[in-house]
Amino acid sequence: MGAHESMEHAEHAEHASGSNKRIALLIAVIALFLAFSETLGKGAQTESISKNVEASNLWAFFQAKSIRRTTVQAVAEHAKLSLGLSGDDAQKAALAKQIDDWNKAAARYRSEPETGEGSEQLAARAKKAEEARDLAMARYHHYEVASAAFQIGIVLASATIITGMIALAWVAGALALTGLAFTAIGLFAPHAVHLM
């Protein structure tokens, strides 16, 4: 091997080394983006599960209140029928007061704004929890797509170092941009693109 060939070989090795450093930097940047999307995805998944449990609990509470209200209303209606059968005025007055108390309880089971635990308030709270769950799930799906794009980008960038095919690095960069786009959609407009 002549001096000229040796120098040419050294220049080629130096160029390849510089190219490999840029690819390694690309891999590091994509890995950083992957860490962010995975963290955001895990948070969104946890939020979705939490809001689903909250909505289920609120709907169960709603059903319990509805059952109580129905039971109290049925007892009050039955007691109204007995009111006409009673001959004793004191007994009629006591029964009328009890019927009034039952009707007030039924009304309170339907709407109790001060505690937020009437069936109307519980239904509204459950619907809000479901909306929060759906939002978190939409975000989660976008972060998952972003993570997949980042992972494939890392694989392709790594393959660039082995094969020397620079086109793979360009595809890796495009996948990183795609991942960033899905991360941004998940953060700012998760319902703009419907994935699932």
Side-chain angles (χ1 to χ4, degrees), residues 29-157:
V29 169
I30 297 173
L32 177 66
F33 295 154
L34 174 61
F36 284 134
S37 69
E38 288 286 325
T39 301
L40 290 168
K42 187 54 76 180
Q45 184 181 40
T46 302
E47 175 77 3
S48 175
I49 292 167
S50 171
K51 290 300 178 182
N52 192 48
V53 169
E54 181 182 340
S56 294
N57 287 343
L58 287 166
W59 282 121
F61 197 7
F62 167 86
Q63 280 190 312
K65 285 281 183 161
S66 297
I67 290 168
R68 285 184 203 156
R69 186 180 72 243
T70 302
T71 302
V72 167
Q73 286 173 329
V75 169
E77 289 300 316
H78 182 70
K80 280 182 192 175
L81 296 174
S82 302
L83 195 58
L85 300 176
S86 178
D88 184 355
D89 287 343
Q91 199 176 29
K92 275 186 179 180
L95 190 52
K97 184 184 178 330
Q98 183 61 60
I99 291 169
D100 186 52
D101 288 346
W102 283 329
N103 285 331
K104 285 178 184 173
R108 193 177 69 251
Y109 290 147
R110 176 180 296 281
S111 180
E112 201 171 358
E114 55 282 350
T115 64
E117 293 183 354
S119 59
E120 290 174 359
Q121 291 79 24
L122 290 169
R125 287 170 55 198
K127 287 175 186 172
K128 280 183 112 171
E130 287 175 336
E131 288 169 9
R133 175 204 61 204
D134 294 344
L135 178 66
M137 189 52 78
R139 284 191 164 124
Y140 170 71
H141 290 310
H142 285 86
Y143 299 144
E144 284 293 293
V145 170
S147 293
F150 293 139
Q151 289 170 1
I152 295 168
I154 289 169
V155 169
L156 292 178

Side-chain angles (χ1 to χ4, degrees), residues 135 138-143 145-146 177-195:
L135 178 66
R139 284 191 164 124
Y140 170 71
H141 290 310
H142 285 86
Y143 299 144
V145 170
L177 292 176
T178 301
L180 285 173
F182 275 100
T183 300
I185 292 168
L187 274 170
F188 303 113
H191 291 303
V193 178
H194 297 283
L195 295 175

